[in-house]
Amino acid sequence: MTDIKAADAGNALQAIANKLNSAQVLEPEGLNTLNRVARDLKSKKRKKEWPLEVDDGQPVRFKLGQTPDGKKVRPKIVFANIKVNQGLESRPPFDCFDLAIVLEDEAQKPLSRWHIDLANSTGEVVQSGPLFHLQFGGRNRGQHREHDHPIKEPRWCHPPMELALVSEMLVANFFESAWLDLREDQAWCANINLFQRLCYESYLNQLQRCLATPSGSTILRDVWASNWK
């Protein structure tokens, strides 16, 4: 079970935001949003239950990056509704998890939309699919439902990744030269590690339990929402 205080998470996120800003990969409004979330966390001090929230109108907006074949791409974390609960013992410490990423072209036209989610549940009925999953498309927030991607499946087996880990993933993909420097920075790694422990510790334990009994189950079965509560 993780034991991470809100203020420590806030300090780590603020340090990560400053590193991203120094690497010149964040737009000013993206820096402001990360710093706002960090301030909210620090105000919770020693609490072990805390939110990570990004509103539709104030995304974590990155500068224009590019793909390996030269296409210009602007990544944005457009929404996050994450509630940390470190009292959970048998699964990653989140009561609520919904994070959305949009990739845009130079004209601000959406190229793709991605969600990292916790499976929905209503009473005893749980959404089919892995408990935590990566999904292409999903709900097009702020627009009519007819603009949603028409197919919600597959929901890919995937660990949770909050603002810090998703930011690192976006930088590694679209600002690789900046990331090659960041990943060698011990302070950067130490702050990222705090969020790795939060997101990955329980998830990896679940995978390891399955690997320890190879004839009894499969990893996909063990992370399926109806089996992992």
Side-chain angles (χ1 to χ4, degrees):
M1 183 188 301
T2 54
D3 184 14
I4 298 171
K5 298 174 181 62
D8 292 336
N11 287 327
L13 186 61
Q14 185 174 49
I16 287 167
N18 290 336
K19 292 282 188 183
L20 293 172
N21 188 51
S22 296
Q24 300 183 2
V25 299
L26 274 181
E27 294 287 5
E29 58 266 43
L31 175 64
N32 290 341
T33 294
L34 287 178
N35 280 333
R36 189 267 305 160
V37 176
R39 287 194 302 271
D40 290 347
L41 288 174
K42 289 194 285 186
S43 72
K44 306 268 187 309
K45 299 182 179 179
R46 299 178 64 83
K47 291 184 177 178
K48 298 180 185 177
E49 297 181 11
W50 27 273
L52 289 161
E53 297 175 336
V54 172
D55 299 326
D56 295 346
Q58 296 179 306
V60 180
R61 190 166 180 258
F62 290 79
K63 294 183 181 293
L64 271 175
Q66 72 177 34
T67 63
D69 60 355
K71 294 185 177 67
K72 296 293 185 181
V73 175
R74 184 188 303 280
K76 299 194 302 184
I77 304 172
V78 296
F79 181 80
N81 180 21
I82 299 169
K83 291 182 173 56
V84 174
N85 175 7
Q86 294 177 84
L88 298 173
E89 296 185 0
S90 61
R91 54 173 252 203
F94 304 102
D95 283 331
C96 176
F97 201 104
D98 183 2
L99 184 145
I101 303 155
V102 168
L103 304 180
E104 295 179 339
D105 65 12
E106 293 179 88
Q108 298 186 323
K109 178 182 177 182
L111 298 170
S112 65
R113 185 181 300 104
W114 303 83
H115 285 257
I116 302 174
D117 289 330
L118 170 66
N120 299 324
S121 62
T122 304
E124 295 297 317
V125 179
V126 183
Q127 182 183 50
S128 181
L131 182 64
F132 288 90
H133 55 266
L134 175 68
Q135 180 181 350
F136 176 80
R139 179 68 186 270
N140 190 354
R141 295 186 178 277
Q143 300 187 36
H144 298 295
R145 292 304 298 267
E146 59 263 27
H147 296 296
D148 290 0
H149 193 267
I151 299 174
K152 297 180 175 61
E153 291 76 19
R155 293 182 173 94
W156 296 93
C157 173
H158 201 281
M161 294 176 68
E162 48 52 73
L163 300 176
L165 300 186
V166 167
S167 291
E168 184 184 35
M169 181 272 296
L170 292 172
V171 173
N173 275 273
F174 301 112
F175 307 91
E176 187 176 9
S177 62
W179 181 65
L180 293 177
D181 290 334
L182 285 170
R183 72 181 190 179
E184 301 304 320
D185 184 323
Q186 290 186 355
W188 168 267
C189 294
N191 288 311
I192 286 291
N193 186 56
L194 181 144
F195 293 102
Q196 289 179 158
R197 288 190 286 116
L198 181 72
C199 289
Y200 296 159
E201 186 175 81
S202 179
Y203 194 91
L204 292 175
N205 286 341
Q206 182 77 348
L207 302 190
Q208 187 58 49
R209 281 191 291 270
C210 180
L211 292 174
T213 55
S215 62
S217 188
T218 68
I219 283 175
L220 188 58
R221 178 187 182 279
D222 284 1
V223 301
W224 208 253
S226 57
N227 295 325
W228 193 12
K229 300 179 182 178

